[in-house]
Short mmCIF file of all heavy atoms in Angstrom, two decimals:
data_model
loop_
_atom_site.label_atom_id
_atom_site.label_comp_id
_atom_site.label_asym_id
_atom_site.label_seq_id
_atom_site.Cartn_x
_atom_site.Cartn_y
_atom_site.Cartn_z
N PRO B 18 -25.07 11.64 70.00
CA PRO B 18 -24.70 12.57 69.00
C PRO B 18 -23.34 13.11 69.15
O PRO B 18 -22.70 13.47 68.14
CB PRO B 18 -25.77 13.73 69.19
CG PRO B 18 -26.90 13.07 69.88
CD PRO B 18 -26.26 12.05 70.79
N LEU B 19 -22.82 13.25 70.39
CA LEU B 19 -21.50 13.69 70.55
C LEU B 19 -20.49 12.73 69.96
O LEU B 19 -19.52 13.14 69.24
CB LEU B 19 -21.23 13.88 72.07
CG LEU B 19 -19.79 14.32 72.45
CD1 LEU B 19 -19.56 15.73 71.91
CD2 LEU B 19 -19.48 14.20 73.94
N PHE B 20 -20.72 11.43 70.20
CA PHE B 20 -19.77 10.42 69.61
C PHE B 20 -19.86 10.50 68.13
O PHE B 20 -18.83 10.41 67.46
CB PHE B 20 -20.17 9.05 70.16
CG PHE B 20 -19.42 8.71 71.44
CD1 PHE B 20 -20.02 9.01 72.68
CD2 PHE B 20 -18.20 8.16 71.38
CE1 PHE B 20 -19.39 8.71 73.79
CE2 PHE B 20 -17.56 7.84 72.64
CZ PHE B 20 -18.12 8.12 73.84
N SER B 21 -21.09 10.61 67.54
CA SER B 21 -21.08 10.69 66.08
C SER B 21 -20.47 11.95 65.59
O SER B 21 -19.90 12.03 64.51
CB SER B 21 -22.49 10.44 65.55
OG SER B 21 -23.37 11.36 66.03
N GLY B 22 -20.58 13.03 66.40
CA GLY B 22 -19.96 14.26 65.99
C GLY B 22 -18.44 14.10 65.96
O GLY B 22 -17.76 14.64 65.08
N ILE B 23 -17.89 13.41 67.00
CA ILE B 23 -16.47 13.10 67.05
C ILE B 23 -16.08 12.27 65.81
O ILE B 23 -15.02 12.56 65.24
CB ILE B 23 -16.08 12.40 68.31
CG1 ILE B 23 -16.31 13.34 69.61
CG2 ILE B 23 -14.63 11.93 68.32
CD1 ILE B 23 -16.12 12.62 70.84
N THR B 24 -16.88 11.31 65.55
CA THR B 24 -16.60 10.47 64.32
C THR B 24 -16.52 11.35 63.04
O THR B 24 -15.68 11.11 62.23
CB THR B 24 -17.64 9.38 64.16
OG1 THR B 24 -17.90 8.79 65.49
CG2 THR B 24 -17.33 8.37 63.24
N ARG B 25 -17.49 12.26 63.04
CA ARG B 25 -17.47 13.06 61.81
C ARG B 25 -16.26 13.99 61.80
O ARG B 25 -15.68 14.20 60.64
CB ARG B 25 -18.68 14.06 61.86
CG ARG B 25 -19.93 13.33 61.48
CD ARG B 25 -21.14 14.12 61.62
NE ARG B 25 -21.30 15.27 60.63
CZ ARG B 25 -22.47 15.88 60.40
NH1 ARG B 25 -23.50 15.58 61.11
NH2 ARG B 25 -22.47 16.80 59.51
N LYS B 26 -15.76 14.42 62.93
CA LYS B 26 -14.59 15.21 63.01
C LYS B 26 -13.40 14.45 62.50
O LYS B 26 -12.55 15.00 61.74
CB LYS B 26 -14.35 15.72 64.37
CG LYS B 26 -13.43 16.89 64.55
CD LYS B 26 -14.09 18.18 64.09
CE LYS B 26 -13.06 19.28 64.22
NZ LYS B 26 -13.57 20.56 63.63
N ILE B 27 -13.30 13.18 62.99
CA ILE B 27 -12.14 12.38 62.53
C ILE B 27 -12.22 12.15 61.06
O ILE B 27 -11.21 12.25 60.38
CB ILE B 27 -12.19 10.99 63.28
CG1 ILE B 27 -12.02 11.22 64.79
CG2 ILE B 27 -11.19 10.10 62.78
CD1 ILE B 27 -12.26 9.98 65.63
N ARG B 28 -13.44 11.90 60.56
CA ARG B 28 -13.51 11.64 59.09
C ARG B 28 -13.00 12.91 58.38
O ARG B 28 -12.24 12.82 57.45
CB ARG B 28 -14.94 11.39 58.74
CG ARG B 28 -15.17 11.16 57.21
CD ARG B 28 -16.62 10.95 56.94
NE ARG B 28 -17.19 9.91 57.73
CZ ARG B 28 -18.45 9.96 58.22
NH1 ARG B 28 -19.24 10.84 57.88
NH2 ARG B 28 -18.85 8.93 58.89
N ALA B 29 -13.46 14.07 58.89
CA ALA B 29 -13.07 15.33 58.23
C ALA B 29 -11.49 15.48 58.21
O ALA B 29 -10.91 15.85 57.24
CB ALA B 29 -13.67 16.61 58.87
N LYS B 30 -10.95 15.08 59.39
CA LYS B 30 -9.46 15.24 59.46
C LYS B 30 -8.76 14.26 58.51
O LYS B 30 -7.82 14.60 57.89
CB LYS B 30 -8.99 14.96 60.88
CG LYS B 30 -9.34 16.04 61.87
CD LYS B 30 -8.63 17.35 61.57
CE LYS B 30 -9.28 18.53 62.24
NZ LYS B 30 -9.11 19.81 61.64
#
Side-chain angles (χ1 to χ4, degrees):
Chain B
L19 178 68
F20 272 89
S21 58
I23 294 173
T24 314
R25 281 172 77 165
K26 195 76 178 174
I27 294 170
R28 181 181 308 143
K30 289 296 164 205

